[in-house]
Structures are given as C-alpha cells and as structure tokens.
C-alpha cells in the first residue's frame, strides 16, 4: 500500500512542481541567452530541477562516489548504463557542465522535452545516418567549447536492470575529439520504476558511482571495438557488485 499511495503522492507533487518551475526555467533561459553561450546558469537550473525530481520522495536515499576522479577543467565523454528515466536526474550529481545525447522522441514530452530544447541538448533519431552525423558534429562542437557529453551507449533502457551490450557512437565521439571517457555506474533506478507493476519502490537506495577515467591516450591507442568493450566491462564489473541478484539467473545458465 505504501508504494501505491507513495507513487500517487509523488507524481501529483512532481506535476505541480514542474508546472510552477518551468516558467522560471524559461525566464532564466531568456535572461541569460545574450551572455551565457555555454548555458552554465541554465545547466545549474536544470540540475536543481533534476535533484528536486528525486528529492521529492523522502524515502529515497542517494549515494554518490568517485567525484575525486574528475578534473573539472577537462571535457569528457560520460558513458553510463541506463535503467530508467530517473537516470537523468541522478546523473546531475556528476559535477560537470554537460550536454545530453537523447532520442528525438524525448523532445516531444511536455516540459522535459522543452527543457532539453532550451538547454540545447543533442537529439538523435534511431537508425538515421544523417541524424547520427549531426549528433557527432554537435558533440565535437560542444567538447571544443569545453563542455562534456553524456551518452547511454546501450541505446535504450535495460528491461532487466542488467548492463546490456554497448553501441559504438559515444566512443566514436571520444576518439574523434581526443578526450577521456568517464564511465559511470547507475544502480537502484530500475527497481524504482519496475517495482512489480504496482508503483515506485519505497524506500530505496539510488547510487551513482564514478569510475576512474579512461585517459585520452588509451582512447587513441585502442581500436573502437576494444574501447567500447573496455568501458562496458568496467561498468558491468562494478554493477555486478552493486546488484548481484540481477545476474544470478544469467550466471546459473552460464
């Protein structure tokens, strides 16, 4: 019962908060447009929005580790496993100014899609070669400006919570821009949004683990396939220690 009632309360409160906050967000965009080309202020405003999406639920705790691995003067291609829509607000705990790479469908969502558009984030159409080329160009453009890029190389949310195979797009960006890759492991968001179909899991622990970067020298030296597999294996290894129960059935079959 706590999950059902908690879910109703959560979404009602979230809806009211978004309705109130979005005009403020749009005003910040308008006021800062002439003097903030990197949208630093807007990024901070969206970070506040994202944190509130999680903090609205008092029964969720957040654990973040690995910030010491980050050089705030460095641009990165940030890659992470993808469990649910809550991965997005959780990712703002990475203390960098970054742009998202997300599916074009997300831009059609009320408020969330509008925020992405105002932030000048990067949309991509599945299977579209022209869209992929534009995505790669925009990523390189933002990296040259000193920003980082966040991409979920699985391509879509995991249906099981486990880490799936990675696509190579984000790693092409890193190689072409000669920047390090910052692997991030997300855990806990899958059970939040897939809790037996009856609502959000409460209480629950969400975690974001920042791993040691793959340096630009390694990004350059490794083949695209090797680089993609290295990042995948490092994220998978850590995630197995955080949620071993998700992999028990898979390991029994093996």
């Amino acid at each position: 019962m706590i999950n059902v009632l908690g879910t109703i309360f959560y979404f009602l409160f979230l809806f009211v908060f978004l309705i109130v906050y979005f005009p403020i967000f749009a005003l910040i965009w308008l006021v800062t447009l002439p003097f903030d080309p990197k949208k630093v202020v807007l990024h901070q405003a969206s970070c506040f929005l994202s944190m509130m999406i999680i903090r609205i639920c008092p029964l969720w705790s957040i654990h973040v580790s690995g910030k010491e691995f980050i050089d705030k003067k460095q641009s990165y291609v940030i890659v992470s496993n993808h469990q649910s829509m809550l991965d997005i607000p959780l990712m703002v705990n990475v203390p960098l100014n970054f742009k998202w790479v997300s599916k074009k469908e997300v831009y059609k969502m009320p408020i969330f899609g509008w925020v992405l558009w105002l932030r000048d984030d990067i949309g991509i159409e599945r299977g579209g070669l022209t869209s992929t080329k534009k995505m790669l160009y925009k990523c390189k453009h933002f990296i040259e400006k000193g920003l980082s890029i966040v991409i979920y190389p699985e391509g879509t949310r995991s249906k099981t919570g486990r880490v799936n195979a990675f696509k190579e797009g984000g790693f092409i960006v890193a190689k072409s821009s000669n920047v390090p890759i910052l692997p991030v492991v997300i855990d806990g968001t899958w059970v939040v949004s897939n809790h037996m179909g009856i609502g959000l899991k409460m209480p629950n622990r969400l975690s974001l683990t920042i791993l040691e970067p793959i340096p630009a020298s390694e990004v350059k030296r490794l083949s695209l396939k090797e680089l993609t597999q290295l990042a995948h294996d490092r994220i998978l290894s850590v995630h197995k220690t955080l949620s071993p129960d998700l992999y028990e059935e898979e390991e029994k079959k093996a």
Side-chain angles (χ1 to χ4, degrees), residues 233-249:
D233 291 349
R234 287 181 58 182
I235 289 174
L236 175 62
S237 176
V238 173
H239 192 247
K240 280 185 174 181
T241 66
L242 295 172
S243 288
D245 54 305
L246 293 176
Y247 298 90
E248 287 177 357
E249 186 177 338

Side-chain angles (χ1 to χ4, degrees), residues 180-191:
I181 290 171
L182 186 67
V184 173
V185 184
I186 285 174
D187 187 57
T189 59
W190 182 76
V191 291

Side-chain angles (χ1 to χ4, degrees), residues 122-140:
I122 305 161
I124 182 170
E125 294 177 2
R126 288 181 180 178
L129 181 59
T130 302
S131 180
T132 301
K133 287 181 178 179
K134 286 182 179 178
M135 180 273 287
L136 294 173
Y137 173 80
K138 285 185 177 180
C139 287
K140 192 170 183 179

